[in-house]
Amino acid sequence: MSASAVATGPGSVDELAAGLREVGYLPGESTALVSYLATRLGKPVLVEGPAGVGKTELAKALSAFLGRGLVRLQCYEGLDEAKALYEWNYRKQLLRIQSEAPGTGWQDVQEDIFGEEFLLARPLMTAITSTEPVVLLIDEIDKTDQEFEAMLLEVLSDFQITIPELGRIEAATRPVVLLTSNNTRELTEALKRRCLYLWLDYPTLEHELQIVSLHAPELSQTVAKKLVELIGMVRDLDLKKPPSIAESIDWARTLLLLGADDIDAETFRQTMSVIVKHRTDLDVVAERVGVKLTGLGG
Amino acid sequence: MAPAAPRPGALYGGLPEPGPPGMSARVLEFGEELRGEGVAIGTSELLDAFAVLEEIDWRSAPGFREALAATLAKSQEDRRIFELVFERFFFRAVEQAAVREGVREEGGIDAGAAGEADLDRLREQIARALADGGESAMRDLARLAIAAFGRQGEGSGVIGVDVQRIRRALGLRSEPQPELPGDDPRRPGLPREALRRFEAILRRELERAQIERTETLPPSRPLNELDRALPSGPLQDLAAVHRVVAQLKRRLATEGLQARGRRAHRHVDVRRTMRASLQTGGVPVVLKFRPRRPRRPEIYVLCDVSTSVTSASVFFLSVLHALHDSFRKMRSFVFIERISEVTDTFERERNFKAVSEAIARDAGVADVSGYTDYGRVWSEFRTLVEDDLHPRATVIVLGDARTNGRDPRADIFAEVAARAGRTFWLNPEPRLYWNYGDSVIAAYERYCRAFECWTTRQLEDFVRALTRPEDGDRLSA
């Protein structure tokens, strides 16, 4: 299946969903649909949602399923085009000038040092120029400033980069682009306009149960069920950092290691630091959820 | 599908006749409807929507909805509006066609027979369906329930009221009901999610019944603005409040950076430039600039905490305190009949809930009769801070300016405003209600800038205005 997927892209939403499942990612209905549309239309997808719901994982899973390399650009405050697009390798340029034999004209040198040989490709450039199609992940786009977003527009809508000294570089192959955002700031309309939008939220109980069972298959169903219910309860509390899916899985594995066959108040107290990672949060959770467990009679 | 009847209200004075009857026109109309609700939809979004519809099997409802949502609704807020409008629009589209064609739905269940079905069994069936969560079963049962309860007494005519009435009559609750017998599925409490779904189905079925009865469509109304309002109930949704605050804080933090970047008027830092020039043999190649400092105003906040505006006030206070590092100094006061300072409370307590409890407890001194007395509050405030107020201070008042018939004493307020550099008034009531009844905001508005502030968006705008460096106000700390 994935051999054909490499050549032509998935043929239907179900095929893509099945493929993602094969590589260990359980997509929700809309996730599969939007990813499918992205591969068909060649449009970037803007994935928003709280931290730890598998936004980045989705990109990894897509790259595994489609058999494409993953190019990742981690955004941060102050990221600029020299680090995201390209940079001239000026050290090499200097060397080139210094090692110049006397008599060569300036024209030759200039043409030479602004050639591709002296260009340092950064993630976006790599993704665009790659001869093999790739999956491009622009992670946490909301961490950058608006100027950077504006710079991305050319890449995202036309899949090309303009370098003043070289001219326009067009994409040899169309990458599948995913942008993730934690919604810490409103992204510009222009950027959103160019993207499909996918909101990823915490999974429903059943969905999370499937995810946990997939990653910790040895855990008994009853414990796994109780685990996701507890996680749901903890997420409903007003916490600084609610537990992510990855932490549910970690917790399941921890329970396996401890050989726990039930989550009682004692086990919960001992292991809750796996899912709650803030001192004040720990107090709140111990108070609200731990007590409830005791109340149920362990 | 029936041959295309003359379509009422074609868009843009008539579209080229589309191939399959009405699909693309429907999508355009849907886009128009979304625009009407304030979702920014450009032509490119609509083009995307069409492109997407070609890729999917749009006969499956969830796929159709998700595909449209992915192209049209580009934020969580938009998505929420999208869901509401989608429901309303496509439901209406179906009903409109039905009214036109004179189609009546043949229900799977004979409503006449429903009267005989005994209520207790119906209750139990519904509860069981809710616990299992079968969609089509729920729909049938919703109809049965409407038929059964419609018979008992006349509907109130207001669909929302009827829905709640039926739900109560069925005894469907999310809390455990230990008084029920052991095998009743309602005993451990029903899943909240399923209850909400059932209510939505009830609402739809009631609307459908109404349309069939009257053979007209109810007028479509813009979604109630209040659906998107600030939490106003008694602290009902703490987590939501907290999320808003956290988000606001992060947004403002990045906002400040942008302001600094955009206003690139900067001063060269000579000392650092000279030092850096040593690398290049004393030639100052790279200029070093002094960092720009954002405006860090000194803030005095006065919040009305009488029952009508408590939650808005406490919410607002906690927002400001969450942002306290953006201000040089901040003192907060709450008042009802008298004024009392709560700065310490906020410094001690980081937790929204604890703060509101502490205010309710300690600030009780501010409350004697329970009626706001603005005149007294101003004079007390003046006495408290007279010596500290100066032109770089900002005074913010949050209240509904309802004096309960007492003297507003705008003259004292004017004095306070004159001493302070800037004075803002936040009114948690929509502007529509200003100056009606005992609201005297006009008397104060002459001395300050008044904002209406009853949605998170408005609040965010205000906080932004507050922290943005202003021209003519260059001397920021």
Side-chain angles (χ1 to χ4, degrees), chain A residues 29-30 33-34 36-37 40-41 43 48 77 142 146 182-186 189 192-197 199 201 236 238, chain B residues 40-42 44-45 48 51-52 55-56 62-63 66-67 70-71 73-76 239 242 247 250-251 254 257-258:
Chain A
E29 198 176 344
S30 52
L33 182 81
V34 175
Y36 171 71
L37 291 175
R40 300 290 299 179
L41 301 178
K43 291 206 85 154
E48 277 192 327
E77 251 181 63
D142 51 336
Q146 288 192 350
N182 285 333
N183 202 13
T184 56
R185 88 184 155 81
E186 202 64 56
E189 285 292 321
K192 285 185 175 177
R193 184 143 291 165
R194 284 162 176 79
C195 299
L196 298 173
Y197 183 80
W199 171 262
D201 211 338
D236 278 343
D238 176 22
Chain B
I41 291 181
S44 65
E45 263 95 358
D48 281 349
V52 158
E55 294 296 337
I56 57 145
E66 287 299 332
T71 49
K74 305 251 166 117
S75 70
Q76 208 193 350
H242 222 99
Q247 195 137 325
R250 281 187 308 222
R251 283 205 186 154
T254 41
L257 265 184
Q258 282 164 24

Short mmCIF file of all heavy atoms in Angstrom, two decimals, chain A residues 29-30 33-34 36-37 40-41 43 48 77 142 146 182-186 189 192-197 199 201 236 238, chain B residues 40-42 44-45 48 51-52 55-56 62-63 66-67 70-71 73-76 239 242 247 250-251 254 257-258:
data_model
loop_
_atom_site.label_atom_id
_atom_site.label_comp_id
_atom_site.label_asym_id
_atom_site.label_seq_id
_atom_site.Cartn_x
_atom_site.Cartn_y
_atom_site.Cartn_z
N GLU A 29 -11.18 11.61 12.64
CA GLU A 29 -11.84 11.67 11.33
C GLU A 29 -11.38 12.89 10.53
O GLU A 29 -10.96 12.78 9.37
CB GLU A 29 -13.35 11.74 11.55
CG GLU A 29 -14.14 11.39 10.34
CD GLU A 29 -15.63 11.39 10.66
OE1 GLU A 29 -15.98 11.35 11.85
OE2 GLU A 29 -16.41 11.44 9.73
N SER A 30 -11.42 14.07 11.20
CA SER A 30 -11.07 15.28 10.46
C SER A 30 -9.59 15.31 10.14
O SER A 30 -9.19 15.83 9.10
CB SER A 30 -11.48 16.51 11.26
OG SER A 30 -10.96 16.45 12.55
N LEU A 33 -9.06 13.36 7.03
CA LEU A 33 -9.66 14.04 5.88
C LEU A 33 -8.80 15.21 5.42
O LEU A 33 -8.49 15.35 4.24
CB LEU A 33 -11.06 14.53 6.24
CG LEU A 33 -11.79 15.21 5.09
CD1 LEU A 33 -12.39 14.18 4.17
CD2 LEU A 33 -12.84 16.15 5.61
N VAL A 34 -8.41 16.04 6.38
CA VAL A 34 -7.64 17.23 6.01
C VAL A 34 -6.27 16.84 5.47
O VAL A 34 -5.79 17.44 4.49
CB VAL A 34 -7.52 18.19 7.21
CG1 VAL A 34 -6.64 19.36 6.86
CG2 VAL A 34 -8.89 18.70 7.62
N TYR A 36 -5.60 14.18 3.85
CA TYR A 36 -5.85 13.68 2.50
C TYR A 36 -6.00 14.86 1.53
O TYR A 36 -5.38 14.87 0.46
CB TYR A 36 -7.12 12.83 2.51
CG TYR A 36 -7.61 12.45 1.14
CD1 TYR A 36 -6.92 11.52 0.37
CD2 TYR A 36 -8.76 13.02 0.60
CE1 TYR A 36 -7.36 11.19 -0.89
CE2 TYR A 36 -9.22 12.69 -0.65
CZ TYR A 36 -8.51 11.75 -1.41
OH TYR A 36 -8.94 11.43 -2.65
N LEU A 37 -6.80 15.83 1.94
CA LEU A 37 -7.00 17.00 1.08
C LEU A 37 -5.68 17.70 0.81
O LEU A 37 -5.43 18.18 -0.30
CB LEU A 37 -7.99 17.97 1.73
CG LEU A 37 -9.42 17.47 1.80
CD1 LEU A 37 -10.28 18.46 2.57
CD2 LEU A 37 -9.98 17.26 0.41
N ARG A 40 -3.83 15.91 -1.81
CA ARG A 40 -4.46 16.02 -3.13
C ARG A 40 -4.33 17.42 -3.71
O ARG A 40 -4.04 17.57 -4.89
CB ARG A 40 -5.95 15.67 -3.03
CG ARG A 40 -6.23 14.29 -2.55
CD ARG A 40 -5.85 13.26 -3.56
NE ARG A 40 -6.60 13.42 -4.81
CZ ARG A 40 -6.44 12.64 -5.87
NH1 ARG A 40 -5.54 11.67 -5.84
NH2 ARG A 40 -7.15 12.84 -6.94
N LEU A 41 -4.56 18.42 -2.90
CA LEU A 41 -4.58 19.78 -3.41
C LEU A 41 -3.22 20.45 -3.37
O LEU A 41 -3.02 21.50 -3.93
CB LEU A 41 -5.57 20.64 -2.60
CG LEU A 41 -7.02 20.19 -2.57
CD1 LEU A 41 -7.82 21.12 -1.69
CD2 LEU A 41 -7.60 20.17 -3.95
N LYS A 43 -1.96 21.87 -0.79
CA LYS A 43 -2.03 23.09 0.02
C LYS A 43 -1.42 22.83 1.39
O LYS A 43 -1.52 21.72 1.91
CB LYS A 43 -3.49 23.51 0.21
CG LYS A 43 -4.13 24.01 -1.06
CD LYS A 43 -5.25 24.94 -0.75
CE LYS A 43 -4.73 26.30 -0.55
NZ LYS A 43 -5.47 27.44 -0.77
N GLU A 48 -3.71 23.63 14.45
CA GLU A 48 -3.70 24.32 15.74
C GLU A 48 -4.27 23.41 16.80
O GLU A 48 -5.05 22.50 16.51
CB GLU A 48 -4.53 25.60 15.66
CG GLU A 48 -3.75 26.76 15.08
CD GLU A 48 -4.47 28.09 15.28
OE1 GLU A 48 -5.71 28.13 15.27
OE2 GLU A 48 -3.78 29.08 15.45
N GLU A 77 11.41 32.87 18.51
CA GLU A 77 11.44 34.32 18.41
C GLU A 77 12.73 34.77 17.78
O GLU A 77 13.81 34.32 18.15
CB GLU A 77 11.35 34.93 19.82
CG GLU A 77 10.03 35.59 20.11
CD GLU A 77 10.02 36.16 21.49
OE1 GLU A 77 10.83 37.07 21.78
OE2 GLU A 77 9.22 35.68 22.29
N ASP A 142 3.65 30.19 15.53
CA ASP A 142 3.20 31.34 16.32
C ASP A 142 4.31 31.94 17.17
O ASP A 142 4.16 33.01 17.73
CB ASP A 142 2.00 30.96 17.20
CG ASP A 142 2.27 29.71 18.01
OD1 ASP A 142 3.13 28.91 17.59
OD2 ASP A 142 1.63 29.53 19.04
N GLN A 146 5.61 38.63 12.86
CA GLN A 146 4.80 38.74 11.65
C GLN A 146 5.64 38.88 10.39
O GLN A 146 5.25 38.42 9.32
CB GLN A 146 3.85 39.92 11.77
CG GLN A 146 2.74 39.63 12.75
CD GLN A 146 1.62 40.64 12.67
OE1 GLN A 146 1.77 41.66 12.01
NE2 GLN A 146 0.53 40.37 13.33
N ASN A 182 0.43 26.82 18.53
CA ASN A 182 -0.25 26.63 19.81
C ASN A 182 -1.23 27.76 20.07
O ASN A 182 -1.72 27.93 21.18
CB ASN A 182 0.76 26.58 20.96
CG ASN A 182 1.48 25.27 21.00
OD1 ASN A 182 0.95 24.27 20.56
ND2 ASN A 182 2.69 25.29 21.49
N ASN A 183 -1.43 28.57 19.05
CA ASN A 183 -2.43 29.63 19.15
C ASN A 183 -2.06 30.67 20.20
O ASN A 183 -2.93 31.23 20.86
CB ASN A 183 -3.79 29.01 19.49
CG ASN A 183 -4.92 29.92 19.10
OD1 ASN A 183 -4.71 30.88 18.38
ND2 ASN A 183 -6.10 29.64 19.61
N THR A 184 -0.75 30.93 20.37
CA THR A 184 -0.39 31.95 21.34
C THR A 184 -0.57 33.33 20.75
O THR A 184 -0.61 34.31 21.47
CB THR A 184 1.07 31.82 21.80
OG1 THR A 184 1.89 31.87 20.64
CG2 THR A 184 1.29 30.55 22.55
N ARG A 185 -0.61 33.42 19.45
CA ARG A 185 -0.96 34.73 18.89
C ARG A 185 -1.76 34.47 17.62
O ARG A 185 -1.70 33.42 17.02
CB ARG A 185 0.29 35.54 18.61
CG ARG A 185 0.90 35.34 17.26
CD ARG A 185 2.19 36.12 17.11
NE ARG A 185 3.05 35.49 16.12
CZ ARG A 185 2.89 35.66 14.83
NH1 ARG A 185 1.95 36.45 14.37
NH2 ARG A 185 3.67 35.06 13.97
N GLU A 186 -2.51 35.49 17.26
CA GLU A 186 -3.34 35.40 16.06
C GLU A 186 -2.42 35.44 14.85
O GLU A 186 -1.62 36.35 14.70
CB GLU A 186 -4.29 36.59 16.08
CG GLU A 186 -5.53 36.45 15.25
CD GLU A 186 -6.43 35.34 15.75
OE1 GLU A 186 -6.83 35.37 16.92
OE2 GLU A 186 -6.74 34.47 14.93
N GLU A 189 -4.07 37.02 8.49
CA GLU A 189 -5.08 36.53 7.55
C GLU A 189 -4.42 35.98 6.31
O GLU A 189 -4.83 34.96 5.76
CB GLU A 189 -6.01 37.68 7.16
CG GLU A 189 -7.00 38.06 8.24
CD GLU A 189 -8.02 36.98 8.49
OE1 GLU A 189 -8.46 36.36 7.51
OE2 GLU A 189 -8.36 36.74 9.66
N LYS A 192 -3.24 32.48 6.84
CA LYS A 192 -4.35 31.54 6.98
C LYS A 192 -5.03 31.28 5.65
O LYS A 192 -5.48 30.18 5.37
CB LYS A 192 -5.37 32.12 7.96
CG LYS A 192 -4.94 32.05 9.39
CD LYS A 192 -6.05 32.53 10.26
CE LYS A 192 -5.72 32.36 11.72
NZ LYS A 192 -6.78 32.90 12.55
N ARG A 193 -5.11 32.33 4.86
CA ARG A 193 -5.77 32.23 3.56
C ARG A 193 -5.13 31.15 2.70
O ARG A 193 -5.78 30.53 1.89
CB ARG A 193 -5.67 33.58 2.89
CG ARG A 193 -6.38 33.69 1.60
CD ARG A 193 -7.00 35.05 1.47
NE ARG A 193 -8.09 35.20 2.41
CZ ARG A 193 -8.63 36.36 2.74
NH1 ARG A 193 -8.13 37.46 2.24
NH2 ARG A 193 -9.62 36.42 3.58
N ARG A 194 -3.84 30.95 2.87
CA ARG A 194 -3.14 30.01 2.01
C ARG A 194 -3.17 28.58 2.53
O ARG A 194 -2.62 27.68 1.92
CB ARG A 194 -1.69 30.47 1.84
CG ARG A 194 -1.58 31.63 0.89
CD ARG A 194 -0.29 32.37 1.03
NE ARG A 194 -0.18 33.42 0.03
CZ ARG A 194 -0.78 34.60 0.12
NH1 ARG A 194 -1.54 34.87 1.15
NH2 ARG A 194 -0.62 35.51 -0.82
N CYS A 195 -3.78 28.40 3.71
CA CYS A 195 -3.71 27.09 4.34
C CYS A 195 -5.09 26.46 4.49
O CYS A 195 -6.09 27.15 4.54
CB CYS A 195 -3.10 27.20 5.74
SG CYS A 195 -1.45 27.85 5.75
N LEU A 196 -5.08 25.15 4.59
CA LEU A 196 -6.25 24.46 5.11
C LEU A 196 -6.12 24.50 6.62
O LEU A 196 -5.01 24.56 7.15
CB LEU A 196 -6.29 23.01 4.64
CG LEU A 196 -6.38 22.79 3.14
CD1 LEU A 196 -6.24 21.32 2.83
CD2 LEU A 196 -7.70 23.30 2.61
N TYR A 197 -7.24 24.46 7.30
CA TYR A 197 -7.17 24.60 8.75
C TYR A 197 -7.59 23.31 9.43
O TYR A 197 -8.59 22.70 9.06
CB TYR A 197 -8.09 25.73 9.20
CG TYR A 197 -8.04 26.00 10.67
CD1 TYR A 197 -7.01 26.74 11.21
CD2 TYR A 197 -9.02 25.51 11.52
CE1 TYR A 197 -6.95 26.99 12.56
CE2 TYR A 197 -8.96 25.75 12.87
CZ TYR A 197 -7.93 26.49 13.39
OH TYR A 197 -7.88 26.73 14.73
N TRP A 199 -8.08 21.85 13.36
CA TRP A 199 -8.01 22.04 14.80
C TRP A 199 -7.91 20.67 15.45
O TRP A 199 -8.80 19.84 15.29
CB TRP A 199 -9.24 22.79 15.33
CG TRP A 199 -9.31 22.81 16.81
CD1 TRP A 199 -10.04 21.98 17.60
CD2 TRP A 199 -8.60 23.67 17.70
NE1 TRP A 199 -9.83 22.29 18.92
CE2 TRP A 199 -8.96 23.32 19.02
CE3 TRP A 199 -7.70 24.72 17.51
CZ2 TRP A 199 -8.44 23.98 20.13
CZ3 TRP A 199 -7.19 25.36 18.62
CH2 TRP A 199 -7.56 24.99 19.92
N ASP A 201 -7.82 18.66 18.88
CA ASP A 201 -8.09 18.82 20.31
C ASP A 201 -7.70 17.52 21.01
O ASP A 201 -7.32 16.55 20.37
CB ASP A 201 -9.57 19.13 20.51
CG ASP A 201 -9.76 20.02 21.73
OD1 ASP A 201 -8.86 20.01 22.60
OD2 ASP A 201 -10.78 20.70 21.81
N ASP A 236 -9.75 18.16 32.84
CA ASP A 236 -10.86 19.07 33.13
C ASP A 236 -10.52 20.06 34.23
O ASP A 236 -11.16 21.09 34.36
CB ASP A 236 -12.10 18.27 33.54
CG ASP A 236 -12.84 17.76 32.32
OD1 ASP A 236 -12.56 18.29 31.23
OD2 ASP A 236 -13.65 16.83 32.45
N ASP A 238 -8.34 22.86 36.30
CA ASP A 238 -7.72 24.08 35.82
C ASP A 238 -6.22 24.02 36.12
O ASP A 238 -5.76 24.46 37.15
CB ASP A 238 -8.39 25.26 36.53
CG ASP A 238 -7.74 26.55 36.18
OD1 ASP A 238 -7.10 26.61 35.12
OD2 ASP A 238 -7.87 27.50 36.95
N ALA B 40 -14.18 36.00 8.35
CA ALA B 40 -13.54 36.59 7.18
C ALA B 40 -13.38 35.52 6.12
O ALA B 40 -12.56 34.61 6.27
CB ALA B 40 -12.20 37.19 7.56
N ILE B 41 -14.16 35.61 5.05
CA ILE B 41 -14.06 34.63 3.98
C ILE B 41 -13.80 35.35 2.67
O ILE B 41 -14.61 36.17 2.23
CB ILE B 41 -15.35 33.81 3.87
CG1 ILE B 41 -15.45 32.92 5.10
CG2 ILE B 41 -15.35 32.95 2.63
CD1 ILE B 41 -16.64 32.05 5.12
N GLY B 42 -12.67 35.07 2.09
CA GLY B 42 -12.33 35.71 0.83
C GLY B 42 -12.68 34.79 -0.32
O GLY B 42 -13.09 33.65 -0.13
N SER B 44 -10.62 33.43 -2.24
CA SER B 44 -9.71 32.30 -2.30
C SER B 44 -10.21 31.16 -1.41
O SER B 44 -10.08 30.00 -1.75
CB SER B 44 -8.31 32.73 -1.87
OG SER B 44 -8.31 33.13 -0.53
N GLU B 45 -10.83 31.52 -0.27
CA GLU B 45 -11.38 30.48 0.59
C GLU B 45 -12.49 29.71 -0.13
O GLU B 45 -12.58 28.50 -0.07
CB GLU B 45 -11.95 31.08 1.88
CG GLU B 45 -11.01 31.04 3.06
CD GLU B 45 -10.26 32.34 3.19
OE1 GLU B 45 -10.45 33.22 2.33
OE2 GLU B 45 -9.47 32.47 4.15
N ASP B 48 -11.10 27.45 -2.69
CA ASP B 48 -10.58 26.25 -2.01
C ASP B 48 -11.70 25.30 -1.67
O ASP B 48 -11.58 24.09 -1.83
CB ASP B 48 -9.87 26.65 -0.71
CG ASP B 48 -8.49 27.18 -0.98
OD1 ASP B 48 -8.04 27.04 -2.12
OD2 ASP B 48 -7.88 27.73 -0.06
N ALA B 51 -12.62 23.43 -4.66
CA ALA B 51 -11.58 22.46 -5.00
C ALA B 51 -11.68 21.25 -4.09
O ALA B 51 -11.55 20.10 -4.53
CB ALA B 51 -10.21 23.12 -4.86
N VAL B 52 -11.94 21.53 -2.82
CA VAL B 52 -12.01 20.45 -1.85
C VAL B 52 -13.21 19.55 -2.11
O VAL B 52 -13.12 18.33 -2.02
CB VAL B 52 -12.07 21.06 -0.44
CG1 VAL B 52 -12.67 20.10 0.54
CG2 VAL B 52 -10.70 21.47 0.02
N GLU B 55 -12.70 16.77 -4.35
CA GLU B 55 -11.83 15.69 -3.93
C GLU B 55 -12.53 14.68 -3.03
O GLU B 55 -12.06 13.57 -2.87
CB GLU B 55 -10.62 16.25 -3.17
CG GLU B 55 -9.69 17.08 -4.01
CD GLU B 55 -9.04 16.25 -5.10
OE1 GLU B 55 -8.96 15.02 -4.94
OE2 GLU B 55 -8.64 16.83 -6.12
N ILE B 56 -13.62 15.09 -2.41
CA ILE B 56 -14.22 14.19 -1.45
C ILE B 56 -15.61 13.78 -1.90
O ILE B 56 -16.19 14.37 -2.80
CB ILE B 56 -14.35 14.85 -0.05
CG1 ILE B 56 -15.15 16.14 -0.18
CG2 ILE B 56 -13.02 15.11 0.56
CD1 ILE B 56 -16.02 16.39 1.00
N PRO B 62 -20.51 14.05 7.49
CA PRO B 62 -19.36 14.52 8.27
C PRO B 62 -18.19 14.94 7.39
O PRO B 62 -17.53 15.94 7.65
CB PRO B 62 -18.97 13.31 9.14
CG PRO B 62 -19.96 12.26 8.88
CD PRO B 62 -20.85 12.65 7.77
N GLY B 63 -17.97 14.19 6.31
CA GLY B 63 -16.86 14.53 5.41
C GLY B 63 -17.08 15.89 4.78
O GLY B 63 -16.18 16.73 4.73
N GLU B 66 -16.50 18.60 7.43
CA GLU B 66 -15.09 18.79 7.79
C GLU B 66 -14.34 19.47 6.66
O GLU B 66 -13.50 20.33 6.88
CB GLU B 66 -14.43 17.44 8.10
CG GLU B 66 -14.85 16.82 9.41
CD GLU B 66 -14.51 17.70 10.60
OE1 GLU B 66 -13.55 18.47 10.51
OE2 GLU B 66 -15.23 17.62 11.61
N ALA B 67 -14.65 19.04 5.43
CA ALA B 67 -13.93 19.60 4.29
C ALA B 67 -14.22 21.09 4.18
O ALA B 67 -13.32 21.90 3.97
CB ALA B 67 -14.32 18.88 3.02
N ALA B 70 -12.44 22.96 6.97
CA ALA B 70 -10.99 23.10 6.81
C ALA B 70 -10.65 24.26 5.89
O ALA B 70 -9.58 24.85 6.01
CB ALA B 70 -10.40 21.81 6.25
N THR B 71 -11.55 24.59 4.96
CA THR B 71 -11.22 25.66 4.04
C THR B 71 -11.83 27.00 4.45
O THR B 71 -11.30 28.04 4.09
CB THR B 71 -11.74 25.32 2.63
OG1 THR B 71 -13.10 24.90 2.72
CG2 THR B 71 -10.93 24.22 2.01
N ALA B 73 -13.23 27.93 7.83
CA ALA B 73 -13.10 28.41 9.21
C ALA B 73 -11.66 28.25 9.65
O ALA B 73 -11.18 27.14 9.82
CB ALA B 73 -14.01 27.62 10.13
N LYS B 74 -10.97 29.40 9.81
CA LYS B 74 -9.53 29.29 10.04
C LYS B 74 -9.09 29.66 11.44
O LYS B 74 -7.96 30.09 11.64
CB LYS B 74 -8.81 30.17 9.02
CG LYS B 74 -9.18 29.83 7.59
CD LYS B 74 -8.07 29.15 6.86
CE LYS B 74 -8.52 28.52 5.59
NZ LYS B 74 -7.91 29.09 4.40
N SER B 75 -9.97 29.55 12.40
CA SER B 75 -9.53 29.65 13.77
C SER B 75 -10.57 28.92 14.59
O SER B 75 -11.63 28.57 14.09
CB SER B 75 -9.42 31.10 14.23
OG SER B 75 -10.69 31.66 14.36
N GLN B 76 -10.24 28.70 15.85
CA GLN B 76 -11.15 27.93 16.67
C GLN B 76 -12.47 28.67 16.84
O GLN B 76 -13.54 28.08 16.79
CB GLN B 76 -10.51 27.69 18.02
CG GLN B 76 -10.99 26.44 18.68
CD GLN B 76 -10.57 26.43 20.11
OE1 GLN B 76 -9.77 27.26 20.53
NE2 GLN B 76 -11.08 25.50 20.88
N ALA B 239 -11.93 27.32 34.24
CA ALA B 239 -10.87 26.89 33.33
C ALA B 239 -10.86 27.78 32.09
O ALA B 239 -9.81 28.18 31.61
CB ALA B 239 -11.06 25.44 32.95
N HIS B 242 -9.32 31.04 32.83
CA HIS B 242 -7.87 30.92 32.95
C HIS B 242 -7.20 30.82 31.59
O HIS B 242 -6.17 31.40 31.35
CB HIS B 242 -7.53 29.68 33.77
CG HIS B 242 -6.44 29.95 34.73
ND1 HIS B 242 -6.67 30.21 36.04
CD2 HIS B 242 -5.11 30.05 34.54
CE1 HIS B 242 -5.53 30.44 36.63
NE2 HIS B 242 -4.57 30.35 35.74
N GLN B 247 -3.80 33.08 27.48
CA GLN B 247 -3.63 33.41 26.08
C GLN B 247 -3.36 34.89 25.89
O GLN B 247 -2.47 35.29 25.16
CB GLN B 247 -4.91 33.04 25.36
CG GLN B 247 -4.74 32.98 23.89
CD GLN B 247 -5.44 31.76 23.38
OE1 GLN B 247 -5.46 30.73 24.03
NE2 GLN B 247 -6.04 31.88 22.23
N ARG B 250 0.16 35.78 26.78
CA ARG B 250 1.15 35.43 25.76
C ARG B 250 1.03 36.34 24.56
O ARG B 250 2.02 36.78 23.98
CB ARG B 250 0.97 33.97 25.35
CG ARG B 250 1.57 33.03 26.34
CD ARG B 250 1.50 31.65 25.80
NE ARG B 250 0.13 31.37 25.37
CZ ARG B 250 -0.48 30.22 25.59
NH1 ARG B 250 0.13 29.26 26.20
NH2 ARG B 250 -1.70 30.03 25.17
N ARG B 251 -0.20 36.63 24.18
CA ARG B 251 -0.39 37.49 23.01
C ARG B 251 0.20 38.85 23.25
O ARG B 251 0.88 39.40 22.41
CB ARG B 251 -1.87 37.64 22.72
CG ARG B 251 -2.41 36.45 22.05
CD ARG B 251 -3.62 36.79 21.25
NE ARG B 251 -4.16 35.55 20.75
CZ ARG B 251 -5.43 35.37 20.44
NH1 ARG B 251 -6.26 36.36 20.59
NH2 ARG B 251 -5.84 34.22 20.00
N THR B 254 3.98 38.93 22.96
CA THR B 254 4.52 39.01 21.61
C THR B 254 4.19 40.35 20.96
O THR B 254 4.98 40.90 20.22
CB THR B 254 3.97 37.89 20.72
OG1 THR B 254 2.59 37.74 21.00
CG2 THR B 254 4.71 36.61 20.95
N LEU B 257 6.71 42.98 21.51
CA LEU B 257 7.89 42.83 20.67
C LEU B 257 7.68 43.46 19.31
O LEU B 257 8.53 44.15 18.80
CB LEU B 257 8.16 41.34 20.46
CG LEU B 257 9.15 40.69 21.40
CD1 LEU B 257 9.35 39.27 20.97
CD2 LEU B 257 10.45 41.45 21.33
N GLN B 258 6.50 43.18 18.77
CA GLN B 258 6.21 43.73 17.46
C GLN B 258 6.26 45.25 17.49
O GLN B 258 6.82 45.88 16.61
CB GLN B 258 4.81 43.33 17.01
CG GLN B 258 4.74 41.92 16.51
CD GLN B 258 3.30 41.48 16.46
OE1 GLN B 258 2.41 42.32 16.38
NE2 GLN B 258 3.08 40.21 16.53
#
